[in-house]
Amino acid sequence: MDPCPFVRVLVGNLALKMPAATHRGGGGGSSASGAGVHPTTAPCYCRISLNKLPYQTASAPLLPPSEEGPASCTGAFAAAFHVSKADLDRAAAKPALFAPRRTARLKVSVYAGRRGSSCGGVSSGRLLGKVVVPLDLKAAAAKPVVFHSGWVAIGKRRGAGRKPAAGSGGGAAGHAHAQLNLTVRAEPDPRFVFEFDGEPECSPQVLQVQGRMKQPMFTCKFSCRSNSDLRSRSVQSDPGSGGRNWLAKFGSERERMGKERKGWSVTVHDLSGSPVALASMVTPFVASPGTDRVSRSNPGGWLILRPVDGTWTPWGRLECWRERGGGGAGGDSLGYRFELVPDHTNSGVGVCVAESAVSASKGGRFAIDLTAAQPFGRSGSPGCSPRGSGDFGHGLWPFGSFRGFVMSAAVQGEGRCSKPTVEVGVAHVGCAEDAAAFVALAAAVDLSMDACRLFSCKLRRELSASRAELLR
């Protein structure tokens, strides 16, 4: 399997220093940018954007002006941007005649005030200044690159400090302006990309995507069966299954009469027809009493299993529910939580590696990305590498072998044709079976969008248990 090139742009080590004049009670008539902002009363934050990607925000701690150099910064992670091959190709393309050269630009806008927005979506903070860092992403696709690390003056009054330059951390100009410390680096982050050629409930093929080339990699088989039927099944019909205990534990006795959706499963096969991963709905999606929705307090659950010695062995557990609001324009959202089961963690207990929500109407991305869980080092080494600055040591890291970007999957909104695209970090795929587990997880997330639909809405016939019985 050949991966697709991706680049991950990381921003961190944010800190802010105000001119000495801001600490005195007026007098002197100093008009430096940021005057009147006192470190103890005005929190500051940064809005960080890369080209047309959605912006991210992060706090910028205020430091005393007497502190010199970046040694006082805490090494905190601030933002991460993931740049695909298509974005890299656009950045590397030669511009048309008379057209400006295409350059990736990271912009950091510094605001005084608390994060949030006022009426009309305008930021409630007061803009102190901006920093623009040009990025050569083509170079970063081959090796890690540190584009900037250190202090830079910000502010509009004297027209200096808009672009970081070598040696900008000191001198008279540095004392006349507010100063921002930041580190911007980029590193290769190759990924395997897979694409369903149909909706998961239609038992599609899964294609591996490499540039414009697509080739079959897996096949999926959707079925709708009872949990008792599921518990009796194993890869080789082996009755002595340790995995059955897990299924019995998670397939609780909540299968009562009423509004519920249960028994769905997706089996992923390799091209030889051997099953290599399974996503099984082991906790029914049941409407909460007095409502027609699956609540967070009573979520539906999937178990993601892999074959080990002829037996389905649990690898991860996914829970999903429907939340009011949070989906944009006041709409509902699909909440989710994914955890690794004990056998796949160092601590012996389940560890949550992803918890968020996507819009039920517009969809979004399910992602497992642990970049923010690791310290942001100053070196150019990737935080997810064995020798990276974020290395806690294998025995101390609570997420097992999961580090940095792990996977993401596109999730379409309700009523839309959904053919998930799955990206998996190369570091987390040692064989095709590893990739199959993430494909099964993506299928479970996609099907959960249907499982969490309001029970007043009728499901598509492909998801009907009666239709599944006819197809057996």
Side-chain angles (χ1 to χ4, degrees), residues 6-30:
F6 278 75
V7 168
R8 182 171 54 175
V9 179
L10 303 174
V11 183
N13 295 330
L14 294 179
L16 193 64
K17 287 197 297 186
M18 293 298 181
T22 61
H23 294 270
R24 302 188 180 104
S30 174

Side-chain angles (χ1 to χ4, degrees), residues 308-333:
V308 177
D309 296 329
T311 300
W312 286 120
T313 301
W315 171 71
R317 175 168 171 78
L318 173 72
E319 290 184 336
C320 294
W321 59 90
R322 189 181 183 95
E323 291 187 343
R324 295 183 185 274
D332 288 350
S333 61

Side-chain angles (χ1 to χ4, degrees), residues 7-8 139-147 185-188 379-382 385:
V7 168
R8 182 171 54 175
K143 62 180 181 180
V145 178
V146 178
F147 293 105
R185 75 170 188 253
E187 56 196 32
S379 68
S381 61
S385 71

